[in-house]
Amino acid sequence: MAQLSEGGLTEKPVTVASTENPLGERVNIKVQAPVAHVDDLRAESLPGENKESPSHSPHGSASDAEPSLEFKTEESRPANQISQELPPATQPVPTSVSTPESITETTEFKEEPSVESKEEKEAKKKKPKLLNKFDKIIKSEISAAEKLRNKGKFKESLRAFEALVQKFPQSPRCRYGKAQAEDYLAEKIQSNEMLLKALNTYREVAELPDVPPDLIKATLKRRAEIQQFLGRTRGSLATLEKLVQIFPEDISLKNDLGVAHLLLGDNKGAKRIYVLARAPDDGFAKVHYGFILKSENKIAESIPYLREGLESGEPGTDDGRFYFHLGDALQRTGDKSAYDWYEAGHRQGHFASVWQRSLYNVPGLRAQPWWMTEESGYTASVKMLERNWLTIRDEALSVLDSNSGQFLPEDENLRETGDRGQFALWQQGRKVASSCRYVPKTCALLEHYPEATSCKRGQIQFSAMQAGTHVWPHTGPTNCRL
């Protein structure tokens, strides 16, 4: 009988003290098969901007919220980088609220007159000013083209703005309207080519003379978002650096710049930005700064930043990966409140349960810690592995020699003590030919197992832990594989 554990469910600290082979090490072969297809993303990656842009649209009004950019397939990223696929966060960690147990019937309630809040007044005062003096003169023509876009007539709006740009080539607002029309049309027809046109038009807007500061900010922010979406991360970084230079007092722009550094895997650059941007009440900066500290294995130091950032409830903080890393950090320091944060993450809808903390899940899949062979749907493949276990074991031992250098240390920071090595045969659906040279019989057997060899969310590898190794409790990144 073979053990098949679901990647998104298992949570066990592992201590190995085995003498099952001449080198005193336990050797396992891990073969993971897909249960269902999902986009190829890593659970350990961290969110940056996510898709919260419509909530603080750079276009100047609620009707101008930009397209969601859902038509480009994202590629997988390393564990120390971030992703933008999760929705924006708007709610703080749930906390208990004390309320009066009863209210007497004699209590009188007087209806208060409607009064604008301080925030509403400030929002009105701070409405972006997107028109220069000349654009105010032609405001009616701009509004007519804008109305077409607001009605969903994106092609007609684009033609109208193209005519305006030809008529008034020095008008920043006309060219910005053209960029928006291209932007919206790109989403409607699912075209990256049209999105590239929008990207270039946004650049043209920022290069014109007499562009209002609010329009420059809106234009370059949107350009950076599109560059990030299209995978042009370094271009996005350069655009955001320009924004920070123009608007050095804007903390949110520095936070965005930190996200761009994280997307490039540049934790040091991001850390420098978040140190500069970190304000006493800036929850967004805190959670990202805490994540960076944790990635540097500064576990205890990361906890207050992650915790305070989540408690702030600021947009961009309510994300499963922050709950995951805070819980993990607390767990590693022996703090039992880790499970309170896992529970909070579950209540917020990020985890399937306290125990199943995988972040990329296919809804409706059955979760259980142990699967019988006949339940897996891959009985023939499992039986094939069982029949050939001696061949697989012998080839594993042949490359396990400590002098060969074939086994690489595990790189997910899961070990507390000891030594754990891995020897990859397939990674993210690609055969590692240089490894299969050393274990040809095992690889030949696995060629008959396309469900595993083509699985972009899995890997096939030998894993070896020396006696006395202790691995931290952890879960897999997704529920879509066995």
Side-chain angles (χ1 to χ4, degrees), residues 104-223:
T104 61
E105 292 182 4
T106 58
T107 304
E108 292 184 7
F109 293 91
K110 294 184 179 180
E111 186 175 344
E112 294 291 334
S114 178
V115 180
E116 280 188 342
S117 68
K118 181 180 177 182
E119 290 77 11
E120 288 172 333
K121 289 180 180 178
E122 288 181 355
K124 284 188 176 181
K125 288 179 183 177
K126 294 180 180 179
K127 186 175 180 179
K129 297 177 181 179
L130 306 181
L131 302 173
N132 64 15
K133 289 182 179 179
F134 176 76
D135 286 335
K136 288 178 181 178
I137 298 172
I138 60 170
K139 184 177 179 180
S140 60
E141 294 181 70
I142 294 171
S143 296
E146 199 89 334
K147 284 179 182 177
L148 291 171
R149 198 200 71 220
N150 291 338
K151 291 178 180 179
K153 298 179 179 180
F154 302 135
K155 288 183 180 179
E156 293 87 342
S157 176
L158 178 56
R159 283 196 290 268
F161 273 115
E162 284 174 338
L164 286 173
V165 168
Q166 195 167 8
K167 188 177 179 181
F168 309 113
Q170 295 301 302
S171 163
R173 186 61 182 85
C174 290
R175 202 169 295 261
Y176 181 68
K178 176 176 179 279
Q180 282 188 302
E182 291 168 336
D183 201 343
Y184 276 74
L185 183 59
E187 182 180 24
K188 183 177 181 180
I189 65 176
Q190 304 285 284
S191 170
N192 282 353
E193 184 179 352
M194 180 59 69
L195 194 61
L196 284 170
K197 290 183 178 180
L199 186 69
N200 290 330
T201 307
Y202 282 124
R203 174 183 53 77
E204 292 170 1
V205 175
E207 292 173 351
L208 288 172
D210 196 24
V211 185
D214 287 345
L215 186 59
I216 289 179
K217 184 181 290 188
T219 297
L220 292 180
K221 274 178 69 78
R222 186 60 183 156
R223 178 171 164 78

Side-chain angles (χ1 to χ4, degrees), residues 43 57 62 69 88 95 127 131 135 154 163 180 198 201 297 307 336 340 342 420 445 456:
S57 169
L69 303 180
T95 55
K127 186 175 180 179
L131 302 173
D135 286 335
F154 302 135
Q180 282 188 302
T201 307
N297 217 30
R307 182 193 287 123
K336 293 182 180 179
D340 295 334
Y342 290 147
R420 178 183 177 188
L445 288 168
K456 291 186 177 181

